[in-house]
Amino acid sequence: MSTNPSVSSPSAAAASFGSDHAAASPVRSDWTREEVALIYRTPLPELIFRAQTIHRRFHAPDRVQTCQLISIKTGGCPEDCAYCPQSAHYDADVERQGLLIPQHVISVAREAAGRGVTRFCMGAAWRQAPEGKDFDNVLEMVRGVSALGMEVCCTLGMLTDSQAARLKDAGLSAYNHNLDTSPEFYGSIITTRVYDDRLRTLASVRKAGITVCCGGILGMGETERDRIGLLHQLATLEPHPESVPINMLVRVAGTPLAEKPALDPLEMVRAIATARILMPASRVRLAAGRKQLSPEAVTLCFLAGANSIFVGEKLLTTPNPGVDEDEQLLQTLGLKPLESHAI
Ligand code: SAM
Ligand code: DTB
Ligand code: SF4
């Protein structure tokens, strides 16, 4: 059997991947795009089997991390991300709201911790984190949530080295900053920043000793090559992002992508399985879009190696399955929330 990565037969892909890569060197950042394509295009049952096999080597198979989001500053963003209801360039039905007060945010986190949620992510519709009073308030939020014993994540747009260092000092565990899609497709989705801007902020986050949460969105009209390109970018970050959110586009009226055809849920399964194989030690999060997925599709995503979800009625501005619905699903599947600070 050939092990040449340019071999395009799916069975050759499976055999080559299995014998050469997984056994010899489980965590790699030197994946080639061709290797990623071979994995991505493996027949689905084989792909899921391999992803699940690797998943079990690195993670407890019955545990799922629950993470709750809150939008701490909503709407009016100067960026033109075509998927986003919070961009000031579009006319989505999102009410603008200035920065919330720290006490309120901390009380929402306390309530979530009481329900067993172990990670709390605060999102702001900023192009870049501001300086001054607003940033001081974000630091206060981070200190307060961290004191509850939760993993604390923020997503505030671009950061300077100095802001990353101050967030770290305040107790920030993780920073979310997504690459969203392949470098080639990026310019069709966002024109107000470039891929390198994203990579620069990710480098500042790493330099500060904060863990990286970085993933992307499927269903924006990208090709399979773009999905492979995104996964290749993520898997060649060194070290890998500790957390990899895979979002299915939430199609929001008023945004340029509102009328895109619905994504085949099996593409989510394929992308998650590929992410699991490429980044075996990372948490792979089935992120936005769960409201649009059937329980069976979500189950396949878990089988493919997803081990983190967003819980709570709302993501940032769009709906998410209800708390009771999620508790029921996890119970039916025999999955339990991850309790401890694993990262
Ligand atoms: N403004 C900051 C930024 O863009 O980095 C932080 C907040 S932004 C809303 C966080 C992430 O949410 C984006 O990078 C994107 O991946 C995701 N997102 C936004 N709108 C989405 C949508 N309609 N469907 C799926 N994911 C979305
Ligand atoms: C991520 O990758 N997905 C989350 C979180 N990181 C910040 C955000 C999803 C937002 C979905 C659209 C909304 O609710 O506004
Ligand atoms: Fe602004 Fe973030 Fe939305 Fe882009 S994704 S428009 S940067 S809030």
Side-chain angles (χ1 to χ4, degrees), residues 287-335:
R290 272 197 311 119
K291 191 98 180 144
Q292 288 74 43
L293 291 172
S294 70
E296 291 80 6
V298 170
T299 304
L300 276 178
C301 290
F302 287 137
L303 198 56
N307 60 348
S308 176
I309 53 172
F310 287 121
V311 293
E313 316 276 329
K314 226 183 192 190
L315 293 163
L316 291 171
T317 65
T318 64
N320 197 41
V323 170
D324 294 348
E325 196 181 324
D326 276 345
E327 275 178 7
Q328 183 62 53
L329 177 69
L330 293 186
Q331 202 183 337
T332 304
L333 300 181
L335 295 174

Side-chain angles (χ1 to χ4, degrees), residues 83 124 126 155 157 177-178 180 198 217 247-250 288 316:
Y83 47 77
W126 282 320
T155 180
H177 204 63
N178 290 337
D180 283 330
R198 295 309 256 187
I217 309 179
N247 296 275
M248 186 166 89
L249 175 71
V250 181
L316 291 171

